[in-house]
């Protein structure tokens, strides 16, 4: 008996294997860093459609580990099968890979439906064939549209999607819920991200927008560094205290940590329902003008911006009630918006110095 207990104590707790799709992308790469720090063994699948292989060097610079990497398209189910066969037992999957540009999805809906839904369904089928017990899915606060009451909780109604991108998140959640309902041994969590910003504090990894950024913070930092002439604030005539739109910004490292906590809950903890949904946000609304002020304070740079008309498709205001994730995952944000802006600025400067 005593010998057995000793053997248990010596059993390594390290080395649980997690497939991370989209792991060289913005949120994926930060999550890979947190997985390594927590003792997991991440294996990345990414076709580099929207990321760069050099991200692996950034991950190594932070963690001392170069994660295993498969340059495969998840829409190719045979390639996916090859990965699962080669990797053997996989404990969980975190599924980040998707196209994510809202505006582009309106112009190319079929590309978005094909890529985002085919890859998810291929992954669920592989999970079934190889009996992988747990999945984390990247969802989004876009599923709520413009909510009737704020802050939004997980039981707030899901509104009709405003874009094909948004619909791929709604449909993705439903596909996962139904699949898990048919497989009592498997578990899944959808994480509805609010607005992730910033970069790793080491500035070895960060957001790499291709072309003109659609998101506010990369646009701010690119303007401040001189890559863009000026920032356009889309509307200051909204029904908000300063008239500009309100969002719930959270730092990408805080967001990454929530994935590790969601895995822990499914693999070791108390996930009684097979499928669960959590909002991930700071729980605080910040206006565009306040975000600009936070950047100016953090960087010491005065930003050039003008106020223009509203942008089609923008909702007025949204922020999260993250109390379910606080309570059930033991997760909460720790990084302030000023600190987040400082990391975004450090990252933009590093990109400039690398040129
Ligand atoms: P990202 O574009 O930086 O990362 C996604 C990665 O997936 C990229 O590296 C891309 O090359 C890869 N990919 C896409 N399609 C693929 C395919 N068929 N096969 C293999 N790899 C593929 O995006 P991100 O900001 O890190 O977002 C990650 C996830 O979070 C996405 O699902 C996105 O919709 C969701 N999300 C992002 C935000 C945000 O503001 N960044 C907000 C809410 C939800």
């Amino acid at each position: 008996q005593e010998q057995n207990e000793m053997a248990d104590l010596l059993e390594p707790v390290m080395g649980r294997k997690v497939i991370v799709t989209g792991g060289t992308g913005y949120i994926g790469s930060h999550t890979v860093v947190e997985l390594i720090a927590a003792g997991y063994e991440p294996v990345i699948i990414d076709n580099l459609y929207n990321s760069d292989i050099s991200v692996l060097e950034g991950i190594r610079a932070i963690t001392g580990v170069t994660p295993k990497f498969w340059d495969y398209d998840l829409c190719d189910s045979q390639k996916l099968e090859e990965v699962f066969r080669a990797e053997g037992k996989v404990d969980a999957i975190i599924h980040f890979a998707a196209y994510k540009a809202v505006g582009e999805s309106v112009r190319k809906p079929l590309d978005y439906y094909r890529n985002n839904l085919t890859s998810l369904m291929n992954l669920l089928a592989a999970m079934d064939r190889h009996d992988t017990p747990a999945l984390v899915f990247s969802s989004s606060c876009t599923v709520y549209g413009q909510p009737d009451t704020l802050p939004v909780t997980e039981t707030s109604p899901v509104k009709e999607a405003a874009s094909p991108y948004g619909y791929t998140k709604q449909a993705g959640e439903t596909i996962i819920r139904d699949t898990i309902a048919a497989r009592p041994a498997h578990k899944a969590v959808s994480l509805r991200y609010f607005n992730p910003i910033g970069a790793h504090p080491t500035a070895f990894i960060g957001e790499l927008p291709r072309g003109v950024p659609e998101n506010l913070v990369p646009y701010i930092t690119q303007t401040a560094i001189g890559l863009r002439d000026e920032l356009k604030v889309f509307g200051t005539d909204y029904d908000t205290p300063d008239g500009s739109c309100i969002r719930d910004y959270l730092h990408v490292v805080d967001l990454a940590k929530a994935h590790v906590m969601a895995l822990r809950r499914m693999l070791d903890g108390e996930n009684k329902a097979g499928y669960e949904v959590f909002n991930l946000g700071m729980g605080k609304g910040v206006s565009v003008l306040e975000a600009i002020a936070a950047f100016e304070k953090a960087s010491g740079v005065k930003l050039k911006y003008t106020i223009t008309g509203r942008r089609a498709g923008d909702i007025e205001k949204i922020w999260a009630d993250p109390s379910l994730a606080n309570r059930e995952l033991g997760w909460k944000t720790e990084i302030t918006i000023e600190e987040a802006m400082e990391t975004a600025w450090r990252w933009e400067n590093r990109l400039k110095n690398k040129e």
Side-chain angles (χ1 to χ4, degrees):
Q1 161 105 42
E2 219 168 86
Q3 253 184 356
N4 276 347
E5 273 172 14
M6 276 303 289
D8 282 352
L9 282 176
L10 292 173
E11 190 81 340
V13 286
M14 312 284 280
R16 270 190 172 157
K17 197 178 272 189
V18 181
I19 286 188
V20 184
T21 76
T24 43
Y26 172 44
I27 306 167
S29 57
H30 289 81
T31 303
V32 165
V33 166
E34 297 306 320
L35 286 169
I36 293 170
Y40 291 89
E41 183 194 340
V43 173
I44 297 173
I45 310 177
D46 198 303
N47 65 355
L48 301 176
Y49 172 83
N50 196 37
S51 55
D52 196 276
I53 192 74
S54 65
V55 169
L56 295 179
E57 286 161 33
I59 294 171
R60 186 174 48 82
I62 300 168
T63 63
V65 174
T66 309
K68 194 153 173 199
F69 173 73
W70 296 83
D71 179 359
Y72 281 174
D73 185 335
L74 295 159
C75 294
D76 186 334
S77 56
Q78 279 177 359
K79 288 271 173 27
L80 195 56
E81 181 60 20
E82 208 184 288
V83 176
F84 273 81
R85 289 226 172 118
E87 292 299 338
K89 184 174 177 300
V90 172
D91 295 284
I93 298 168
I94 309 184
H95 182 42
F96 292 103
Y99 294 167
K100 64 162 184 178
V102 176
E104 185 186 58
S105 81
V106 175
R107 294 189 302 277
K108 300 177 177 173
L110 280 181
D111 286 1
Y112 274 68
Y113 290 133
R114 188 194 58 82
N115 189 61
N116 293 5
L117 298 180
T118 308
S119 60
L120 172 64
M121 289 188 286
N122 282 346
L123 207 54
L124 286 166
M127 226 181 130
D128 204 16
R129 282 195 303 275
H130 296 272
D131 202 21
T132 310
L135 172 79
V136 181
F137 176 62
S138 299
S139 190
S140 165
C141 67
T142 55
V143 301
Y144 298 116
Q146 175 59 66
D148 300 325
T149 50
L150 287 165
V152 271
T153 69
E154 290 77 0
T155 52
S156 299
V158 164
K159 295 273 182 73
E160 191 179 347
S163 70
Y165 166 75
Y167 187 65
T168 67
K169 294 300 175 195
Q170 294 182 354
E173 286 195 13
T174 306
I175 290 168
I176 295 168
R177 187 199 62 202
D178 293 349
T179 307
I180 293 299
R183 279 184 212 159
H186 292 178
K187 291 175 178 177
V189 164
S190 287
L191 299 177
R192 291 179 178 160
Y193 312 156
F194 280 66
N195 292 73
I197 60 166
H200 197 270
T202 59
F204 286 129
I205 54 173
E207 193 168 3
L208 271 178
R210 295 229 161 125
V212 182
E214 279 204 13
N215 291 340
L216 178 64
V217 174
Y219 213 108
I220 288 180
T221 55
Q222 288 194 3
T223 306
I225 211 131
L227 287 173
R228 312 265 158 220
D229 291 340
E230 60 178 16
L231 173 77
K232 287 188 179 64
V233 176
F234 297 117
T236 48
D237 57 350
Y238 286 100
D239 181 19
T240 60
D242 65 23
S244 63
C245 289
I246 291 181
R247 297 289 179 270
D248 184 335
Y249 299 99
L250 77 162
H251 192 260
V252 65
V253 171
D254 277 336
L255 178 59
K257 287 180 178 164
H259 294 75
V260 180
M261 290 169 170
L263 276 193
R264 218 172 266 158
R265 179 174 169 84
M266 284 190 284
L267 297 177
D268 305 318
E270 279 291 294
N271 170 344
K272 291 194 189 76
Y275 173 66
E276 294 182 306
V277 176
F278 295 101
N279 282 343
L280 298 178
M282 209 181 270
K284 194 170 161 256
V286 171
S287 75
V288 174
L289 296 179
E290 286 170 337
I292 292 172
F295 171 78
E296 289 183 333
K297 194 168 158 215
S299 65
V301 177
K302 194 100 194 81
L303 196 73
K304 210 171 147 206
Y305 69 88
T306 51
I307 290 159
T308 63
R310 294 182 179 194
R311 181 171 67 171
D314 275 345
I315 60 155
E316 185 168 86
K317 52 190 165 196
I318 186 167
W319 62 93
D321 175 346
S323 54
L324 190 68
N326 298 160
R327 207 170 56 239
E328 298 296 322
L329 298 179
W331 173 86
K332 66 175 179 37
T333 57
E334 288 171 340
I335 301 170
T336 65
I337 183 150
E338 279 90 11
E339 287 164 346
M341 290 293 185
E342 198 199 318
T343 63
W345 184 229
R346 214 178 294 157
W347 168 245
E348 191 68 64
N349 278 286
R350 185 181 157 84
L351 284 179
K352 186 176 184 193
N353 293 336
K354 271 209 303 197
E355 270 168 16

